[in-house]
């Protein structure tokens, strides 16, 4: 292989790395605003849960939130809403916020605009039909490039990412300690607790809320975090 060919391969490899990093960047989007935290001194953090809704997840999460007088934003999958619409209504009735996590939960890179639009609109319609107010979108697997952010902007939704997420551990106490240690005023915390294999997160949740309270931080929804932060400016 000649030098020019080698240089071309190297440039393509470098371009691939750049594109991959952009596609998974938490706080950057090629189009439109992306929220991963809010700059505020108010002692509040946004607590968010992805996926579902599932019976095991909702049944485990809601009582813990209620005991701590905490609220959260649940980013739900459209096809799961169709299976369990009653769970969406339960979340809404409990005072929690619902966000759009796409309809099929595929990684949204390389599709036409019509696909992104359908994924967003179908899920938004299901959320509204079950009493939720739409306005927020979170990409599955955090993957996004140009097409998805453009569709989110055209749908007048805010893309919400995070700056604190599930640790890779099977120890609930270690899971909770890491999240609490990283949480700061204005943080957006992501927890996966809906699926059967998320038992560690479900067991860690009471410890997370206890730890946040010990740091003087109150868990609220994304919408409440934005409202309170704006009111303090």
């Amino acid at each position: 292989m000649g030098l020019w060919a080698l240089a071309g391969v190297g440039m393509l490899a470098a371009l691939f790395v750049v594109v991959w990093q952009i596609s998974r960047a938490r706080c950057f989007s090629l189009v439109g605003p992306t929220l991963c935290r809010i700059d505020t001194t108010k002692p509040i953090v946004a607590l968010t849960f992805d996926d579902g809704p599932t019976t095991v997840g909702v049944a485990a999460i809601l009582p813990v939130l209620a005991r701590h007088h905490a609220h959260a934003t649940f980013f739900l999958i459209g096809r799961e809403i169709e299976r369990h619409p009653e769970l969406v209504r339960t979340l809404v009735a409990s005072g929690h916020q619902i966000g759009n996590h796409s309809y099929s939960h595929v990684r949204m890179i390389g599709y036409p605009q019509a696909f992104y639009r359908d994924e967003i609109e179908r899920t938004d319609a299901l959320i509204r039909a079950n009493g939720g107010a739409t306005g927020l979108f979170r990409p599955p697997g955090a993957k996004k490039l140009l097409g998805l952010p453009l569709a989110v902007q055209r749908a007048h939704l805010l893309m919400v990412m995070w700056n604190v997420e599930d640790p890779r551990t099977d120890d609930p106490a270690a899971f909770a300690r890491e999240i609490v240690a990283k949480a700061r005023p204005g943080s957006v915390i992501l927890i996966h607790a809906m699926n059967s294999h998320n038992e560690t997160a479900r067991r860690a949740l009471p410890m997370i809320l206890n730890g946040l309270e010990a740091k003087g931080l109150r868990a609220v929804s994304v919408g409440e975090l934005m409202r309170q932060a704006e009111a303090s400016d």
Side-chain angles (χ1 to χ4, degrees):
M1 184 180 291
L3 290 177
W4 286 109
L6 284 173
V9 170
M11 290 178 64
L12 285 174
L15 179 60
F16 175 81
V17 171
V18 170
V19 169
W20 175 255
Q21 292 299 326
I22 290 174
S23 76
R24 62 195 296 269
R26 292 181 186 171
C27 300
F28 173 76
S29 175
L30 290 169
V31 177
T34 297
L35 173 68
C36 66
R37 66 174 299 275
I38 285 184
D39 187 14
T40 182
T41 58
K42 291 187 74 68
I44 51 176
V45 296
L47 187 59
T48 70
F49 297 92
D50 277 12
D51 304 339
T54 65
T55 300
V56 65
V58 172
I61 295 167
L62 283 192
V64 178
L65 296 180
R67 285 196 298 272
H68 288 266
H69 306 288
H71 289 95
T73 300
F74 290 80
F75 287 92
L76 303 181
I77 302 168
R79 67 185 181 197
E80 299 302 325
I81 295 174
E82 286 182 333
R83 294 171 182 167
H84 301 289
E86 75 286 354
L87 296 180
V88 185
R89 294 192 290 270
T90 296
L91 291 171
V92 173
S94 299
H96 301 292
Q97 184 179 28
I98 307 300
N100 187 326
H101 198 36
S102 82
Y103 179 83
S104 62
H105 200 252
V106 299
R107 299 207 171 187
M108 295 195 166
I109 296 177
Y111 292 96
Q113 275 294 298
F115 175 83
Y116 299 129
R117 184 172 61 249
D118 182 65
E119 288 275 319
I120 292 169
E121 291 179 353
R122 288 178 73 182
T123 305
D124 263 6
L126 288 163
I127 291 170
R128 290 193 298 269
N130 289 285
T134 187
L136 307 178
F137 181 87
R138 176 171 284 166
K143 295 298 183 290
K144 62 194 185 313
L145 273 176
L146 180 60
L148 177 62
L150 184 59
V152 171
Q153 185 181 51
R154 287 172 172 170
H156 306 291
L157 303 179
L158 173 65
M159 188 174 295
V160 179
M161 301 294 279
W162 59 88
N163 72 321
V164 181
E165 62 184 313
D166 315 73
R168 294 188 176 185
T169 175
D170 295 327
D171 179 0
F175 189 108
R177 281 196 302 271
E178 184 169 334
I179 285 184
V180 172
K182 291 181 177 179
R184 299 288 186 274
S187 286
V188 178
I189 300 171
L190 164 62
I191 299 176
H192 288 87
M194 279 287 174
N195 297 309
S196 58
H197 61 274
N198 299 138
E199 179 64 21
T200 300
R202 289 191 289 272
R203 291 174 59 194
L205 184 57
M207 291 181 277
I208 292 169
L209 288 168
N210 286 333
L212 292 174
E213 290 169 359
K215 286 183 72 168
L217 297 172
R218 185 165 62 91
V220 299
S221 67
V222 171
E224 184 63 21
L225 174 64
M226 294 171 64
R227 287 190 294 273
Q228 291 206 30
E230 184 178 354
S232 66
D233 290 341

